[in-house]
Amino acid sequence: MTGDTLTIFSEFLGTMILVLLGDGVCAAVNMKKSKAEGAGWVAIALGWGAAVTIAVYVSGSMGPAHLNPAVTLGMAIIGNFEWALVVPFIIAQVLGGILGAVLVWLTYLPHFKETKDQGAILGTFATGPAIRNTVSNVMSEVIGTFVLVFALMMFGKNTFTDGLNPLVVGVLILSIGLSLGGSTGYAINPARDLGPRIAHQFLPIANKGTSDWGYSWIPVVAPMIGGAIAALLYIVIV
């Protein structure tokens, strides 16, 4: 593969790794009889930070390693990414998220049979609010994604030791998770939520309940708004 095809594939592959490892830690914590059962929020935040780091290392050798439609949109708005590739990137990211979620399901297959909590099962795949309040939930995702995208843009104004950037991005995800993630589970990435939610809908998962499509628009729309706001602020101040 060469050119645009390779960069699009890199988004698919990177997002698949991201969701496999990120939703993997959610499964490890949520699923009954898992060795990590009950490890808690700190383990999930650490796991997601590490997942992003590994995914960026994998994808970054072939492309820009956005792995997130909100990042792709933000980079296009500030002129650092071709608008023609925005839709192909987003499609690749969502498809990667679906495959990553399928692999999590296969990894923990017997544990789903042991888990009766439908909310815990859905929470292994997709995000949901601690307190369901539309305005608050939207604001939480907008703010978290704003921090993510704006920080990524500002990272580009700094010089890091070669190979260090993915580690810094992982720390950023960890920080957002620990500080801002308690309200909605910090999707901050439409592909990370939508792809696994689609997988949850169609996979024959034992004991699963609804995929909560009534909430699903928030972790898709709000991160895109947050990414766009971050890009506009970047344009104003840089």
Side-chain angles (χ1 to χ4, degrees):
M1 284 185 282
T2 58
D4 291 347
T5 301
L6 181 62
T7 60
I8 293 169
F9 175 75
S10 74
E11 292 296 310
F12 169 80
L13 180 63
T15 310
M16 182 271 287
I17 295 292
L18 169 69
V19 171
L20 172 60
L21 298 180
D23 277 1
V25 72
C26 293
V29 172
N30 290 338
M31 295 296 97
K32 291 296 182 183
K33 298 186 179 180
S34 160
K35 291 182 179 294
E37 181 183 356
W41 186 251
V42 173
I44 289 175
L46 285 167
W48 270 103
V52 171
T53 297
I54 300 304
V56 172
Y57 273 122
V58 169
S59 180
S61 63
M62 298 175 282
H66 293 170
L67 315 182
N68 183 336
V71 174
T72 298
L73 175 64
M75 293 302 177
I77 289 173
I78 67 172
N80 282 6
F81 187 69
E82 298 177 54
W83 279 103
L85 288 177
V86 169
V87 171
F89 259 45
I90 291 174
I91 292 171
Q93 291 156 358
V94 172
L95 291 176
I98 293 172
L99 179 57
V102 171
L103 294 176
V104 171
W105 173 64
L106 292 173
T107 300
Y108 285 91
L109 191 60
H111 297 273
F112 285 100
K113 297 179 182 178
E114 298 291 334
T115 305
K116 308 304 180 184
D117 185 341
Q118 295 177 348
I121 291 172
L122 177 59
T124 293
F125 291 85
T127 62
I131 298 174
R132 195 171 292 259
N133 180 295
T134 298
V135 174
S136 178
N137 300 156
V138 168
M139 288 300 299
S140 176
E141 288 293 332
V142 168
I143 292 168
T145 312
F146 167 82
V147 173
L148 169 66
V149 176
F150 188 70
L152 290 175
M153 290 173 177
M154 295 308 291
F155 287 170
K157 308 298 289 185
N158 292 270
T159 301
F160 294 102
T161 300
D162 190 35
L164 184 63
N165 189 267
L167 288 172
V168 178
V169 175
V171 171
L172 170 61
I173 298 298
L174 172 61
S175 178
I176 294 172
L178 292 176
S179 300
L180 305 175
S183 57
T184 59
Y186 75 121
I188 61 173
N189 181 341
R192 168 266 176 273
D193 191 276
L194 180 59
R197 198 180 297 270
I198 292 171
H200 179 273
Q201 175 70 43
F202 291 103
L203 286 173
I205 303 166
N207 302 314
K208 76 172 181 179
T210 174
S211 299
D212 196 10
W213 290 106
Y215 177 79
S216 66
W217 68 271
I218 292 178
V220 171
V221 174
M224 300 300 276
I225 294 171
I229 293 172
L232 294 175
L233 178 61
Y234 180 87
I235 291 170
V236 169
I237 68 175
V238 174

